[in-house]
């Protein structure tokens, strides 16, 4: 029923009709449902865990319907799935309440949070009068499980999100222009919608006049930037409302200062009778005005807008620089600001290309054009806004968007993470100076100036068709720039973990020495190979204190390969066969393991298959020897002193490795694993005579020996 009900509503909406230019019912078009399949939902650990998807909302949309369904695969519990939605940009939300670095602007114009469950049921989200354009969503599982799960040993839970969406588009929105009058007949509670385009050189102050034919009005009007307005303003800075009650004429002054944008108007007749409403929009065309002195803080026209020149980096992803080039500047990036005037510059944040970066805006005081020591008491103010070139000196600019420099502060910076796409403006003013040179530095870079400080690394991640920069934090640090030290671990703890993981490999030294004494030279080399690459891998795998002799992937493959080969070689050495056959098994096993590691490094099946095969060969050889000797092999003493203790040590190590390790205790538990496995090898290592001579020549003094026919 949840999926059928909205569809019925959409179908009923299409039955409404209207004659163009008249009030009353509206004409709608319902778009087909679009589907996004197979979005993998991950447990949230940091922002790199989220998956990003995109929803397209057409222009003039009256509503938006989204349906979400999470399908679990495997043994999954009922975990909450969090979805954040935002029009225009990637949602900036941290469920763990991480803090941001200084000078970061993190507010969003619209932000929605949904909580659903992975129960394979559809969840409906319906919003009216959505902002048209691209909406972006992020999804993740909100539960904590820091266990390190070994793939193929435990059945994994996987959740997949399916998103479907549809919009209802109003086709009866009338376009109006400045300095024109529109008349419309409206019945009781009828609604009429209009849209007005504000160009680059349109007056920032538009006057709207309402009047009714031969009597007083009872009409309400709402104005909204970008989208169809509702009954109340969604944004006090860009939206307006007026109730014209019992007046023959009403006036609403609109500060429509957004450039190259659509404003939407909604008229509603509140009188219980048919009204003929007249609406007139008055405004000036500033295109013919060229005298820069005209652009004062009290002027209805905007000052000339300089479009910043963009230069994209071909070496770094999500990186762009913007340059201010104007006739009033001695060279690029320097802006001359004078008293009583404003300098406005615009730049474009591109859809999909730039929204995953961090916008950085810095202004710094250079001095005056003629004397850098003059006017030390002057103050320069800049305002950074999307869509709106606000005056920075008249109080209209929000405090968290203002950059102020003066004699005591020569530089000011603001960062906007994951900026919304569209046109952005930087407006500069100097209320108490004659002239001032300001250096303007505007750039797009991932993370925080492409860095994450000492406790993080900056990376660019791809989710669908969207790339975004993320800081991967270490040592317990969190946040957008790895500056939140709420759960941070001391540096000495990180150093201790690195030391334990590397030094614990020294437990293989006794195994190497025993192998050399007993002349198991192949085993000794394999154990040495394992110890060396395990040490180097863990030295490179750590976060804070690390040393990489080779690249990380080489060390990782070598460590995994050496570990698997050590298991194979140890079991093969215990197999009761002739030396030439044992050497052949060494070579065959190492080659098979090499292929398995290359195919899938993290799969346990290759390791388990070869280890199980070696164990079966060993068991068969023992059974054959026992049958030929007509008594148990190995003997009871050897079982008690070597086999069972070695198996016990290895079993404890495997339990720790597969079931106990977590992100927090990894350094300690994995170090114990190193010691236990190396100790198990020393305990079960066969004596020297087993390899040197044929079993038929062994004396009764050898605990692991065969009868005269054992080696045949």
């Amino acid at each position: 029923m949840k999926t059928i009900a909205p569809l019925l509503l959409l179908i009923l909406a299409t039955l409404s009709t209207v004659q163009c230019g008249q009030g009353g019912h509206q004409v709608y078009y319902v778009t087909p449902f679009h589907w996004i399949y197979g979005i993998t939902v991950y447990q949230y650990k940091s922002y790199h865990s989220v998956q990003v998807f995109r929803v397209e909302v057409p222009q003039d949309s009256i509503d938006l319907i989204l349906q979400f369904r999470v399908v679990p695969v495997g043994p999954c519990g009922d975990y909450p799935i969090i979805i954040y939605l935002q029009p225009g940009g990637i949602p900036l939300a941290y469920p763990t309440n991480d803090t941001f670095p200084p000078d970061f602007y993190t507010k969003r114009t619209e932000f929605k949070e949904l909580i659903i469950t992975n129960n394979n049921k559809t969840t409906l989200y319906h919003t009216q009068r959505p902002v048209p354009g691209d909406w972006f969503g992020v999804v993740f599982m909100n539960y904590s499980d820091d266990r390190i799960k070994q793939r193929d040993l435990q059945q994994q839970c996987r959740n997949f999100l399916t998103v479907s969406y549809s919009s209802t588009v109003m086709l009866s929105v009338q376009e109006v222009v400045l300095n024109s009058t529109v008349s419309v007949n409206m019945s009781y509670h009828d609604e009429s919608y209009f849209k007005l385009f504000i160009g680059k050189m349109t007056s920032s102050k538009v006057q709207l006049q309402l009047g009714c034919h031969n009597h007083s009005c009872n009409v309400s009007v709402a104005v909204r930037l970008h989208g169809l307005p509702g009954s109340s303003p969604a944004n006090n800075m860009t939206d307006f409302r007026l109730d014209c009650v019992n007046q023959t004429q009403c006036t609403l002054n609109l500060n429509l200062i957004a450039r190259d944008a659509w404003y939407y108007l909604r008229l509603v007749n509140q009188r219980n009778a048919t009204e003929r409403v007249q609406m007139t929009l008055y405004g000036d065309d500033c295109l013919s005005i060229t005298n820069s002195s005209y652009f004062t803080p009290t002027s209805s026209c905007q000052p000339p807008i300089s479009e910043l020149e963009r230069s994209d980096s071909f070496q770094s992803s999500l990186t762009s620089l913007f340059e201010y080039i104007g006739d009033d500047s001695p060279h690029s990036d320097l802006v001359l600001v004078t008293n009583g005037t404003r300098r406005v510059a615009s730049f474009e944040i591109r859809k999909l290309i730039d929204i995953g970066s961090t916008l950085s805006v810095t202004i710094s005081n250079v001095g005056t054009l003629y004397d850098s020591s003059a006017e030390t008491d002057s103050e320069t103010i800049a305002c950074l806004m999307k869509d709106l070139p606000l005056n920075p000196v008249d109080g209209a600019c929000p405090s968290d968007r203002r950059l102020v420099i003066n004699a005591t502060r020569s530089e000011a910076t603001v960062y906007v993470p994951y900026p919304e796409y569209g046109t952005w403006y930087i407006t500069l003013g100097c209320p108490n100076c004659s002239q001032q040179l300001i250096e303007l530095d505007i750039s797009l870079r991932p993370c925080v100036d492409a860095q994450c400080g000492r406790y993080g690394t900056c990376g660019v991640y791809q989710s669908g068709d969207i790339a975004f920069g993320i800081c991967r934090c270490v040592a317990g640090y969190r946040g957008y720039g790895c500056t939140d030290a709420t759960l941070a671990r001391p540096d000495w703890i990180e150093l201790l973990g690195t030391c334990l993981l590397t030094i614990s490999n020294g437990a293989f030294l006794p195994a190497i020495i025993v192998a050399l004494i007993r002349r198991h030279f192949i085993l000794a080399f394999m154990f040495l190979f394992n110890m060396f690459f395990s040490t180097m891998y863990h030295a490179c795998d750590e976060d804070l204190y690390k040393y990489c002799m080779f690249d990380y992937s080489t060390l990782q493959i070598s460590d995994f390969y050496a570990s698997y080969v050590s298991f194979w070689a140890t079991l093969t050495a215990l197999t009761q066969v002739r030396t030439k056959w044992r050497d052949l098994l060494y070579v065959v096993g190492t080659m098979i393991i090499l292929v398995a590691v290359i195919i899938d490094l993290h799969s346990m099946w290759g390791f388990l298959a070869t280890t199980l095969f070696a164990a079966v060969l060993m068991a068969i050889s023992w059974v054959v020897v026992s049958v030929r000797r007509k008594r148990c092999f190995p003997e009871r003493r050897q079982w008690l002193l070597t086999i069972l203790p070695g198996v016990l040590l290895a079993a404890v190590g495997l339990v720790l490795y597969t079931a106990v390790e977590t992100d927090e205790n990894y350094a300690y538990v994995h170090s114990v694993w190193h010691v236990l496995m190396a100790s198990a090898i020393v305990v079960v290592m066969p004596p020297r005579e087993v390899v040197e001579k044929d079993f038929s020549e062994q004396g009764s003094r050898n605990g692991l020996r065969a009868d005269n026919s054992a080696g045949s």
Side-chain angles (χ1 to χ4, degrees):
M1 291 298 294
K2 289 184 178 180
T3 59
I4 296 176
L7 294 177
L8 293 176
L9 291 175
L10 292 174
I11 294 172
L12 290 174
T14 62
L15 301 179
S16 301
T17 59
V18 66
Q19 296 179 354
C20 293
Q22 302 297 317
H25 298 290
Q26 307 297 329
V27 178
Y28 301 101
Y29 167 71
V30 181
T31 65
F33 269 88
H34 300 271
W35 297 82
I36 307 174
Y37 297 98
I39 303 174
T40 306
V41 184
Y42 298 101
Q43 172 192 351
Y44 184 88
K45 293 185 177 180
S46 66
Y47 213 80
H48 77 275
S49 307
V50 306
Q51 290 286 82
V52 185
F53 61 91
R54 180 166 59 100
V55 172
E56 299 180 20
V57 180
Q59 199 77 16
D60 302 345
S61 292
I62 193 67
D63 70 1
L64 170 65
I65 292 178
L66 295 105
Q67 297 180 113
F68 302 99
R69 172 178 289 185
V70 177
V71 179
V73 178
C76 302
D78 291 335
Y79 298 119
I81 307 295
I82 308 299
I83 298 175
Y84 294 139
L85 292 172
Q86 178 189 311
I90 300 175
L92 184 69
Y94 284 79
T96 51
N97 295 322
D98 303 350
T99 60
F100 286 83
D103 303 321
F104 263 66
Y105 178 81
T106 59
K107 293 182 180 179
R108 291 294 187 261
T109 53
E110 292 192 35
F111 180 81
K112 311 292 183 183
E113 179 181 1
L114 305 176
I115 301 178
I116 62 178
T117 57
N118 57 341
N119 55 9
N120 201 15
K121 295 182 179 180
T122 299
T123 300
L124 174 69
Y125 172 74
H126 178 219
T127 181
Q128 292 185 337
R129 296 174 177 84
V131 177
D134 285 1
W135 284 52
F136 297 87
V138 298
V139 58
F140 56 88
M141 281 189 294
N142 190 20
Y143 82 101
S144 178
D145 184 4
D146 63 350
R147 292 179 299 169
I148 300 177
K149 298 180 179 180
Q150 303 301 326
R151 209 182 73 185
D152 301 329
L153 296 183
Q154 303 179 28
Q155 192 173 5
Q156 302 292 320
C157 167
R158 304 178 68 186
N159 291 277
F160 298 95
L161 172 68
T162 297
V163 181
S164 60
Y165 62 94
S166 174
S167 301
T168 303
V169 180
M170 182 178 291
L171 302 179
S172 52
V173 180
Q174 296 178 249
E175 184 176 344
V176 295
V177 296
L178 290 177
N179 303 313
S180 63
T181 301
V182 177
S183 298
V184 57
N185 293 324
M186 304 180 66
S187 301
Y188 180 52
H189 278 177
D190 276 355
E191 299 179 356
S192 293
Y193 289 87
F194 307 88
K195 59 183 178 181
L196 169 69
F197 183 76
I198 301 296
K200 289 184 178 180
M201 298 303 295
T202 304
S203 171
S204 63
K205 294 181 180 179
V206 175
Q207 188 179 83
L208 185 151
Q209 290 186 356
L210 288 177
C212 295
H213 188 65
N214 295 330
H215 57 78
S216 60
C217 292
N218 192 355
V219 179
S220 64
V221 59
V223 182
R224 183 188 180 194
L225 175 64
H226 294 317
L228 296 173
S231 57
S232 59
N235 188 324
N236 293 330
M237 192 173 296
T238 59
D239 300 354
F240 308 90
R241 178 181 170 84
L242 172 67
D243 291 319
C244 187
V245 180
N246 297 327
Q247 299 183 48
T248 58
Q249 183 173 331
C250 298
T251 300
L252 175 63
N253 293 319
L254 309 175
N255 292 319
L256 307 182
I257 56 177
R259 307 291 92 185
D260 282 336
W262 287 98
Y263 277 87
Y264 287 80
L265 299 88
R266 172 178 178 257
L267 298 180
V268 181
N269 180 21
Q270 306 289 359
R271 184 185 297 276
N272 192 9
T274 300
E275 294 273 17
R276 182 169 181 80
V277 182
Q278 292 183 335
M279 180 180 67
T280 306
L281 295 165
Y282 296 101
D284 296 329
D285 184 359
C286 303
L287 185 61
S288 60
I289 300 174
T290 58
N291 184 9
S292 61
S293 63
Y294 182 83
F295 299 105
T296 63
T298 59
S299 171
S300 63
C301 291
Q302 290 290 337
I305 299 176
S306 302
E307 295 185 5
L308 301 182
E309 292 193 2
R310 171 194 291 268
S311 60
D312 294 325
S313 172
F314 296 99
Q315 298 179 346
S316 303
S317 301
L318 302 176
T319 301
S320 298
L321 303 177
F322 298 94
E323 291 184 346
Y324 177 87
I325 299 178
D327 297 334
D328 56 352
S329 301
H331 55 80
S332 63
D333 294 338
L334 291 184
V335 184
L336 180 62
V337 183
T338 58
N339 186 21
T341 63
R342 288 172 282 159
R343 297 298 179 191
V344 183
S346 67
F347 56 95
E348 195 75 16
I349 300 296
R350 297 171 298 187
K351 185 191 305 184
L352 301 183
I353 301 176
D354 298 330
I355 59 174
S357 301
T358 300
L359 173 63
S360 170
V361 177
T362 301
I363 61 171
S364 55
N365 191 358
V366 177
T368 64
L369 185 60
Y370 304 104
D371 184 4
S372 60
S373 62
E375 302 184 6
T376 56
D377 60 342
S378 64
E379 182 179 67
T380 303
I381 306 174
C383 182
L384 175 68
M385 291 291 293
K386 179 181 179 293
D387 297 324
L388 309 175
L390 292 180
N391 189 340
V393 299
D394 63 357
C397 183
S399 59
D400 50 9
R401 297 292 190 98
R402 298 171 75 241
L403 294 87
V404 181
I405 55 176
N406 47 40
T408 59
R409 186 183 184 186
S410 61
E411 184 177 285
T413 302
V414 63
Y415 294 94
V416 182
Y418 304 150
E420 301 171 24
Y421 72 85
T423 303
W424 288 69
Y425 297 90
I426 178 74
T427 310
L428 296 99
C430 184
N432 56 350
C433 68
S434 58
Q435 58 181 3
Q436 198 74 22
L437 271 180
I438 303 299
E439 183 176 2
L440 183 62
D441 182 9
I442 301 178
S443 63
L444 287 167
R445 293 186 178 91
C447 307
V448 186
D449 295 326
Q451 298 178 352
C452 299
R454 182 168 183 257
Y455 298 99
T457 55
C458 181
V460 177
Y461 292 80
Q462 189 82 25
S463 180
D465 57 355
I466 303 166
F468 52 102
I470 294 176
C471 282
R472 292 292 298 266
C473 305
V474 300
Y477 281 80
R478 306 184 304 173
Y480 190 86
C482 300
T483 55
D484 189 337
T486 305
L487 303 177
R489 298 183 294 271
D491 288 359
W492 68 268
I493 293 291
E494 296 298 304
L495 179 60
L496 175 62
T498 303
C499 292
L500 287 175
L501 288 169
T502 53
I503 296 175
S504 62
N505 286 283
F508 281 93
L509 284 174
I512 296 171
I513 294 173
V514 172
L516 290 174
I517 292 175
R518 298 181 181 180
R519 298 197 175 184
H520 300 311
F521 299 117
I522 295 178
L523 288 181
F525 174 76
M526 290 183 176
F527 298 152
L528 178 63
F529 184 86
N530 189 3
M531 181 183 71
F532 175 78
F533 278 103
S534 180
T535 301
M536 291 298 101
Y537 166 69
H538 285 293
C540 184
D541 187 49
E542 290 306 290
D543 297 324
L544 199 56
Y545 298 97
K546 62 191 306 179
Y547 168 74
C548 296
M549 175 175 287
F550 309 115
D551 64 274
Y552 179 81
S553 60
T554 299
L555 292 173
Q556 186 181 45
I557 293 174
S558 300
D559 173 58
F560 281 47
Y561 174 68
S563 300
Y564 299 162
V565 167
S566 295
F567 275 93
W568 168 264
T570 302
L571 294 175
T572 303
L574 294 172
T575 304
Q576 302 300 295
V577 296
R578 290 180 183 272
T579 302
K580 60 181 180 180
W581 297 115
R582 184 180 296 109
D583 294 342
L584 178 62
L585 288 175
Y586 285 146
V587 176
V588 172
T590 54
M591 294 178 68
I592 293 176
I593 292 173
L594 177 61
V595 174
V597 168
I598 293 175
I599 293 175
D600 191 345
L601 177 63
H602 297 283
S603 176
M604 297 292 293
W605 289 116
F607 164 69
L608 293 175
T610 52
T611 302
L612 181 61
F613 180 67
V616 170
L617 286 180
M618 180 188 69
I620 292 175
S621 69
W622 287 1
V623 171
V624 171
V625 172
S626 298
V627 171
R628 291 178 177 178
R629 291 179 57 191
K630 298 182 179 180
R631 61 181 176 181
C632 182
F633 179 86
E635 297 178 353
R636 179 181 300 177
R637 176 175 176 273
Q638 207 63 29
W639 276 99
L640 295 177
L641 296 180
T642 61
I643 305 300
L644 290 180
V647 171
L648 181 61
L649 290 171
V652 173
L654 287 172
V655 170
L656 293 177
Y657 179 73
T658 58
V660 179
E661 279 187 356
T662 65
D663 294 332
E664 291 295 324
N665 65 22
Y666 172 78
Y668 312 107
V669 174
H670 201 77
S671 299
V672 175
W673 148 266
H674 287 163
V675 174
L676 289 175
M677 301 313 295
S679 302
I681 290 174
V682 173
V683 172
V684 302
M685 191 178 301
R688 170 179 176 179
E689 290 81 4
V690 172
V691 176
E692 283 190 336
K693 300 180 181 181
D694 195 61
F695 295 117
S696 60
E697 301 176 2
Q698 300 303 311
S700 58
R701 68 182 184 278
N702 187 2
L704 285 175
R705 65 180 183 86
D707 59 6
N708 292 336
S709 61
S712 300

